Amino acid sequence: MSHDHNHLPSEIRHEKPLWWALALTSSYLVVEVVGAFMTNSLALLSDAAHMATDALALVIALTAVRLSRRPPDARRTYGYARLEALGALVNGALLFVVGLYILWEAVDRFREPQAIASTGMLWVAGFGLLVNLIAMRLLSAGSGESLNVKGAYLEVWSDMLGSVAVIVAALVIRFTGWTLVDPILAVLIGLWVLPRTWVLLRDALNVLLEGVPKGMALADVEQALRGHAGVADIHDLHVWALGSSTPALTAHVVTAGGQDADALRRALAAMLHERFAIDHVTLQVEADHCGDACSAHAPSARHDHGDHDHEGHDHRH
């Protein structure tokens, strides 16, 4: 029996806001780079560097979204959902490098303070703040559902803070002439961004390493399965994520006496959907513990995969 398993989301959302955010970010990037060199502001240059990574993050996010639409094939049976995590990993790494670069440049500014054109710096930063606020509004809806959108949102958010810092620095320089505030705020921006970048990298690595999805405890899932009246034992339980919002589960279920295997599989699949939002489920139901035979392919084994059954369907992870 052949089966078509499409693990892609039913609709690819949030692509249009990504395009709008990319257009805004790319347009302002040109303005900010020119303004940074004209005003000689490191804080503005750091904001421009963040804006450049914002634009690249959006390009990567859009590329990953489009590639993730490709259906599963003979070589990639789960499709391309994990391109989202790869894109987020690249975004986080880029932002981490940019933060370290700004910290390095700030050290030189502390040694040799430089004159800064505060008026131009103020106008450019003010326009940048407006652009970042619009982009954040566009990306906020998808930031909780997609690692890619979350990565882009975090970068735009950090750049918004950078714009605020540049405005503050420009005002201080304009009214006091204290130019050291420029590298000081550049350092603060870097220290603010780096921990959040680590969170993004950690989430992306968790998906790529097939870790338990964020916000889910393996012990809770196992307890819920064992709590069903028809379950005598659970073993070989695995829970991981195909993407940031696509959890999957496999397990061997030992039935209590007299239980109907089909009914039990469907009941457990419904419970996992309701309590943990896990829809990609593969359960091997056994009359007793299969022991070492669990690792061998069993042609007669039947599995429940979400809402449908499979004959001879072997999942290997």
Side-chain angles (χ1 to χ4, degrees):
M1 182 182 299
S2 63
H3 303 278
D4 180 22
H5 299 295
N6 191 337
H7 308 301
L8 303 180
S10 58
E11 57 176 327
I12 304 296
R13 295 175 292 178
H14 314 304
E15 181 176 351
K16 188 175 181 179
L18 283 171
W19 280 111
W20 277 107
L22 176 61
L24 288 169
T25 300
S26 300
S27 300
Y28 177 65
L29 173 61
V30 177
V31 175
E32 193 166 33
V33 169
V34 173
F37 284 102
M38 290 181 64
T39 61
N40 197 32
S41 169
L42 179 61
L44 195 58
L45 182 61
S46 70
D47 199 39
H50 288 156
M51 187 66 77
T53 61
D54 292 348
L56 185 55
L58 290 167
V59 170
I60 293 172
L62 284 165
T63 301
V65 164
R66 288 193 166 265
L67 287 176
S68 67
R69 293 179 179 180
R70 297 177 62 181
D73 54 40
R75 296 188 61 187
R76 296 172 181 85
T77 57
Y78 279 125
Y80 296 79
R82 285 198 172 166
L83 284 174
E84 177 198 39
L86 286 172
L89 186 66
V90 173
N91 293 344
L94 286 173
L95 189 56
F96 198 81
V97 170
V98 169
L100 293 178
Y101 169 76
I102 296 302
L103 293 177
W104 178 265
E105 287 294 316
V107 173
D108 288 338
R109 289 294 181 98
F110 283 121
R111 295 172 181 170
E112 298 181 10
Q114 301 181 21
I116 298 171
S118 59
T119 301
M121 177 181 173
L122 182 61
W123 278 103
V124 173
F127 182 58
L129 177 61
L130 178 62
V131 169
N132 286 319
L133 289 174
I134 295 174
M136 286 178 62
R137 176 64 178 172
L138 291 169
L139 298 174
S140 61
S143 62
E145 301 179 18
S146 166
L147 276 176
N148 259 319
V149 179
K150 179 181 179 181
Y153 178 81
L154 281 176
E155 296 203 41
V156 174
W157 182 69
S158 67
D159 200 64
M160 181 275 296
L161 294 176
S163 295
V164 172
V166 172
I167 291 173
V168 172
L171 291 173
V172 171
I173 294 171
R174 181 178 178 82
F175 291 106
T176 69
W178 188 43
T179 58
L180 280 178
V181 69
D182 184 59
I184 289 174
L185 286 179
V187 169
L188 291 178
I189 293 171
L191 294 178
W192 178 265
V193 169
L194 289 178
R196 286 150 186 80
T197 302
W198 168 247
V199 172
L200 177 63
L201 289 172
R202 182 192 63 192
D203 291 346
L205 284 171
N206 187 59
V207 172
L208 294 174
L209 295 176
E210 299 186 339
V212 176
K214 184 179 179 181
M216 187 180 301
L218 185 63
D220 293 341
V221 177
E222 182 174 1
Q223 182 179 6
L225 290 170
R226 290 181 181 276
H228 192 280
V231 176
D233 191 20
I234 294 289
H235 62 99
D236 289 288
L237 172 63
H238 301 277
V239 182
W240 73 103
L242 301 174
S244 60
S245 57
T246 315
L249 177 148
T250 64
H252 290 215
V253 180
V254 180
T255 63
Q259 291 293 318
D260 179 75
D262 290 335
L264 179 60
R265 283 194 297 269
R266 291 189 176 92
L268 293 177
M271 181 274 293
L272 291 168
H273 166 77
E274 181 179 351
R275 292 188 56 180
F276 303 100
I278 304 176
D279 295 318
H280 188 99
V281 177
T282 302
L283 299 174
Q284 177 170 309
V285 179
E286 306 160 352
D288 53 22
H289 197 300
C290 62
D292 294 338
C294 293
S295 60
H297 178 58
S300 61
R302 297 186 62 195
H303 306 270
D304 179 68
H305 194 109
D307 294 329
H308 39 276
D309 295 334
H310 307 275
E311 290 285 343
H313 183 61
D314 182 25
H315 277 234
R316 299 188 181 187
H317 307 287

